[in-house]
Amino acid sequence: MPWRDVPAEYGPWGRIYDLFRRWQHAVTWQRVLPWLQWLRRQRRDRVGPERRLHGVPCPSACSRGPQAG
């Protein structure tokens, strides 16, 4: 990751990098990542298959009806 390109709203890039390295050494990422993946699966399961397949919010896609071809 290009640390110097981190948006300023997150703070100085050196501090962000320091936190990343600390979490990496403390095995924090190995504990957090499975939890984040679980959350993503939960969210994905709550949306319809059309939205998962096309990445389009269902209400706007469904309201158009069949496409004229």
Side-chain angles (χ1 to χ4, degrees):
M1 169 168 218
W3 296 105
R4 294 177 195 264
D5 293 339
V6 172
E9 63 215 35
Y10 295 124
W13 72 267
R15 178 70 178 137
I16 304 299
Y17 177 74
D18 181 49
L19 284 172
F20 172 80
R21 294 295 291 174
R22 284 186 199 187
W23 292 355
Q24 191 176 42
H25 287 283
V27 195
T28 301
W29 294 119
Q30 284 80 358
R31 287 183 260 149
V32 171
L33 185 60
W35 180 73
L36 291 173
Q37 290 170 331
W38 178 83
L39 280 176
R40 182 171 180 181
R41 280 192 304 273
Q42 297 302 310
R43 287 190 73 188
R44 187 177 56 214
D45 290 344
R46 279 188 261 151
V47 297
E50 302 85 12
R51 186 170 181 184
R52 283 198 306 266
L53 221 120
H54 304 291
V56 177
C58 189
S60 64
C62 297
S63 64
R64 285 184 280 180
Q67 302 258 343

